[in-house]
Amino acid sequence: MNEKEIAEIRRRYKAEKTGISRIRGAYVNEKREIISELDQSVAMMTETETDEILSLLKKALSGKVDTNLLDIHFTTQQVMESPEHKLLCNLRETALQDEEIIHQFYKKIIDSLELEGNYMILLAYDCYDVFTYRKDGAKDDESGEMFRYVLCAICPIKMAKPTLSYYVRENCFRNVIADSIISPPALGFMFPAFDNRSTNLYGALYYTRATDNSHKEFTDAIFNAGDLPMPATEQKETFRSVLADAAGEACSLDVVRSVHAQIHQAVEEHKISKEPEPLTVDKYAIRDMLEFCGVPEEGVEKFEQKFDKGFGQNAALSPRNLVEMNKFELKTPEVVIKVNPAHTDLVETRIIDGVKYVLIRADGGVEVNGIDVSIQADSEKDT
């Protein structure tokens, strides 16, 4: 699914637009026991409660595509006969009304998920009457199809700390006791996928809040759809290692700065083009960047080999998972320098009298701990 399709479903999570009538759920303690179940009508909630529960569910459709939101692909054989796909279809077809199917699903989650502490499993079923567009691009009230899907959000439970409160009517202070608070989802999914604004039973959209942990044990149990992409944090670390090892001594500030700038430019151009499909880069695109930077042919070939080993031969990666888009940082054992990515040209490295330096052009003035300081020429210091 692309960002536009995800945003269209996210807009459903407002009280006046949603087709969700009931919320199902289970409270699971740290011993992996269900201690309470939820089957609540949305109509019986206050407006504030409805907005809050919908906002919580919507967070399972949040984040960056290919970083927090990952496409799950099922094979034809899985769609035809796998128990995992059949269970997901049963949840959808029964609109979360079959108790046996619901409890079978809860058990799969509880048996597989490694999540510290208590958590809440939330389930919602929605019917979306998908509108169509006329040839002139205007929205048509005529329905295209009814998109029926299940959304699951798994939310950690945190205990609020006791705090002192003042009761005006009683004119006294009292301790407010600790209580359970539902945190935003740690993971979740939507099934089936909403591809090309239509039902795709061969796909699902998986959400993980942590970019360093995709909860493989959970995805194997629920989808059994093969390996997920490498977690975003691991992709970034692997890319840094591959680039540094391959370029070797040629991995200079200019090379890193140039690669960062080219990736950033590709992201900006993709954003301007409004292309709905997520932008990806492969080893060939990065190889061209390295060649443009002047990395020797030997280093470029070494990069390709290490890229294949680290990511896989045909890997296509999100550029946002490779570099920090809004961050450019230089670090020594004693000093950290943070630079606006748009002004990396203000920084250079140089060897002066055999000593290595990082130089920063400071024409716009310098502050030290909030105090403006002047920069004097050596001749001025001696006077």
Side-chain angles (χ1 to χ4, degrees):
M1 289 176 63
N2 59 45
E3 291 180 358
K4 191 173 181 180
E5 292 160 343
I6 296 168
E8 185 172 343
I9 298 299
R10 276 173 52 84
R11 287 192 289 271
R12 300 278 300 157
Y13 287 80
K14 295 181 180 178
E16 66 275 13
K17 290 186 177 182
T18 188
I20 297 172
S21 60
R22 303 191 73 81
I23 303 294
R24 300 295 303 261
Y27 188 117
V28 183
N29 67 14
E30 57 188 8
K31 297 180 181 179
R32 296 187 172 187
E33 301 168 334
I34 294 178
I35 59 174
S36 179
E37 291 192 42
L38 170 71
D39 184 2
Q40 187 168 349
S41 168
V42 173
M44 299 299 291
M45 299 180 186
T46 66
E47 185 177 345
T48 300
E49 289 168 343
T50 300
D51 285 340
E52 287 179 351
I53 193 69
L54 291 178
S55 177
L56 199 64
L57 287 166
K58 184 170 69 173
K59 285 182 170 62
L61 297 170
S62 304
K64 298 175 182 177
V65 175
D66 292 329
T67 301
N68 307 99
L69 295 167
L70 306 173
D71 284 320
I72 301 293
H73 302 285
F74 297 102
T75 65
T76 301
Q77 184 177 359
Q78 284 180 302
V79 173
M80 295 295 292
E81 57 187 41
S82 81
E84 293 82 13
H85 192 274
K86 183 179 180 181
L87 178 57
L88 294 173
C89 284
N90 286 341
L91 285 171
R92 172 177 177 260
E93 293 303 323
T94 60
L96 305 179
Q97 297 299 312
D98 189 301
E99 295 300 318
E100 183 179 347
I101 291 171
I102 287 284
H103 284 91
Q104 184 183 349
F105 179 71
Y106 288 161
K107 187 175 188 306
K108 267 204 174 251
I109 292 178
I110 294 168
D111 288 347
S112 65
L113 184 58
E114 297 177 5
L115 200 63
E116 186 177 347
N118 303 342
Y119 60 88
M120 175 76 79
I121 303 170
L122 292 176
L123 284 171
Y125 170 80
D126 185 22
C127 292
Y128 174 29
D129 195 3
V130 183
F131 60 86
T132 57
Y133 289 102
R134 296 197 295 264
K135 290 183 179 180
D136 61 1
K139 186 187 294 187
D140 197 334
D141 292 334
E142 184 179 341
S143 172
E145 73 165 281
M146 189 67 74
F147 175 59
R148 299 180 298 114
Y149 69 95
V150 173
L151 183 70
C152 174
I154 299 176
C155 307
I157 301 292
K158 301 292 178 66
M159 294 300 295
K161 294 181 180 179
T163 186
L164 189 65
S165 179
Y166 178 68
Y167 289 73
V168 176
R169 291 184 180 180
E170 300 177 19
N171 192 29
C172 66
F173 291 100
R174 281 187 190 168
N175 256 333
V176 177
I177 62 174
D179 206 350
S180 300
I181 295 177
I182 303 178
S183 301
L187 62 158
F189 68 88
M190 182 180 82
F191 174 84
F194 186 59
D195 286 323
N196 298 316
R197 305 190 68 243
S198 186
T199 302
N200 177 14
L201 291 172
Y202 287 78
L205 184 68
Y206 173 61
Y207 166 78
T208 174
R209 185 173 62 197
T211 59
D212 60 348
N213 183 3
S214 58
H215 297 282
K216 188 176 185 302
E217 75 288 347
F218 172 83
T219 58
D220 283 349
I222 302 302
F223 308 117
N224 192 22
D227 292 336
L228 289 177
M230 183 186 296
T233 299
E234 190 177 342
Q235 286 186 37
K236 192 177 276 95
E237 293 171 353
T238 300
F239 178 72
R240 290 170 178 169
S241 175
V242 167
L243 181 59
D245 289 349
E249 293 185 0
C251 190
S252 63
L253 170 62
D254 288 340
V255 168
V256 174
R257 174 167 45 202
S258 180
V259 170
H260 187 285
Q262 290 178 77
I263 290 177
H264 191 276
Q265 182 180 355
V267 170
E268 290 302 310
E269 289 175 352
H270 183 266
K271 188 185 300 182
I272 293 171
S273 72
K274 296 184 177 180
E275 176 67 34
E277 294 305 314
L279 174 66
T280 59
V281 294
D282 56 21
K283 68 178 179 183
Y284 303 107
I286 302 172
R287 179 194 64 188
D288 293 343
M289 295 178 189
L290 297 179
E291 289 177 341
F292 177 81
C293 300
V295 174
E297 183 177 348
E298 180 184 348
V300 174
E301 291 177 355
K302 190 175 180 181
F303 169 81
E304 289 190 56
Q305 295 169 3
K306 288 185 172 292
F307 185 96
D308 287 345
K309 185 176 180 180
F311 296 106
Q313 195 165 15
N314 300 312
L317 309 173
S318 169
R320 296 180 182 276
N321 294 347
L322 303 183
V323 300
E324 299 278 1
M325 299 306 299
N326 300 311
K327 176 182 175 183
F328 194 86
E329 182 178 280
L330 295 88
K331 184 183 293 185
T332 74
E334 296 81 18
V335 178
V336 176
I337 304 170
K338 295 182 179 181
V339 185
N340 184 329
H343 299 288
T344 59
D345 58 309
L346 297 177
V347 183
E348 62 176 298
T349 55
R350 194 182 299 176
I351 297 178
I352 302 174
D353 296 332
V355 180
K356 297 176 182 178
Y357 288 91
V358 176
L359 304 181
I360 306 171
R361 196 162 71 248
D363 296 333
V366 178
E367 285 186 6
V368 177
N369 291 339
I371 302 171
D372 290 328
V373 297
S374 61
I375 300 177
Q376 300 177 345
D378 290 342
S379 58
E380 293 176 335
K381 292 179 182 179
D382 296 335
T383 59

